Amino acid sequence: MNQSLLSHERYMREAIQEAKIAQSYGEVPIGAVIVQDGAIIARGHNMREIWKDPTAHAELIAIREAARALGGWRLTGCTLYVTLEPCPMCAGSIVLSRVDEVIIGAMDAKGGAVGSVMNIVETDDFNHRPAVSTGVLAEECGILLKEFFRELRRKRTR
Amino acid sequence: MNQSLLSHERYMREAIQEAKIAQSYGEVPIGAVIVQDGAIIARGHNMREIWKDPTAHAELIAIREAARALGGWRLTGCTLYVTLEPCPMCAGSIVLSRVDEVIIGAMDAKGGAVGSVMNIVETDDFNHRPAVSTGVLAEECGILLKEFFRELRRKRTR
């Protein structure tokens, strides 16, 4: 296993921790962290239900926090780690924020906008194109979601 | 001119007022309002530079404000008016927020995600599909932007 993959897995574990925080609130377990020069400068987890905010996805929260941490809206030199393939809104915010790289855990066949349903990030249509890697700890990231929705269905059918 | 178009123009003028507020701060002049049952429940204008936030677009700000006003993340029964065709991030947030209808002023051939570069809103790929009308006060909406960028180039070449 090469150093880069080990490092990616290390930060994806931090994103998974964020997903678990969301889950502890009853939110869909999705988490993200943003790394610059080896340091985590921002964290985010899905907070849609509790914040009553349709835009409160893990990536958007982390991007806004990273911009605050850096004192500017350009996240140049940053890598975003997220446990699930971003939706169109989050994929769009990734392009707008100029992050260098996006590392994705599990793919989202039904709603993903980095290759599954559409691809907003890996296109020359917009004025920034981050590098993308997928499948980092995909199984762990995906199991969290599968178990969350299985539990939700179980509660609903009781 | 039918009643619906007159009403659309009335609210689009409010969105244009929001765009002019952005312009007064030196921000790219884009504005949005959200209407429910004939009342404006939220307003937003582009604040990217001043807030140092890559996600601080007019639509996203208005959507978050509307959710706060309604006390929930679902903007069912709402119409969003925006002076410029939404980018992918904002188009995605429109779908996520479940607004009923989107009324657009000018189109954005280079970055628009409601028909120009791609179409995130008028698709059955996602679990909500708002109605879309375009071209409401398009000239007024577009002139604001053209004059803003002309002035910007003039300042830069001085």
Side-chain angles (χ1 to χ4, degrees), chain A residues 26 28 147-157:
Chain A
V28 178
E147 287 180 354
F148 177 83
F149 287 112
R150 188 182 301 144
E151 183 66 12
L152 206 65
R153 281 191 301 271
R154 197 181 62 80
K155 282 179 185 164
R156 282 181 181 163
T157 53

Side-chain angles (χ1 to χ4, degrees), chain A residues 48-49 52-53 64 71 73, chain B residues 49 52-53 64 71 73:
Chain A
R48 184 178 69 170
E49 304 297 332
K52 302 175 194 300
D53 177 353
R64 299 176 71 215
W73 62 261
Chain B
E49 304 296 332
K52 303 177 193 300
D53 177 352
R64 298 175 73 215
W73 64 261

Side-chain angles (χ1 to χ4, degrees), chain B residues 30 32 57-63 80 82 84-87 90 94:
Chain B
I30 304 166
H57 284 194
E59 304 93 309
L60 208 81
I61 292 168
I63 284 171
L80 182 141
V82 59
L84 184 69
E85 184 187 358
C87 75
C90 291
I94 284 165

Side-chain angles (χ1 to χ4, degrees), chain B residues 28-82:
Chain B
V28 178
I30 304 166
V33 297
I34 295 177
V35 174
Q36 190 186 49
D37 298 330
I40 294 175
I41 62 163
R43 297 171 169 271
H45 51 262
N46 178 33
M47 286 295 279
R48 184 178 69 169
E49 304 296 332
I50 292 183
W51 287 1
K52 303 177 193 300
D53 177 352
T55 74
H57 284 194
E59 304 93 309
L60 208 81
I61 292 168
I63 284 171
R64 298 175 73 215
E65 189 178 307
R68 277 195 298 273
L70 297 178
W73 64 261
R74 286 179 188 82
L75 306 187
T76 311
C78 292
T79 301
L80 182 141
Y81 292 81
V82 59

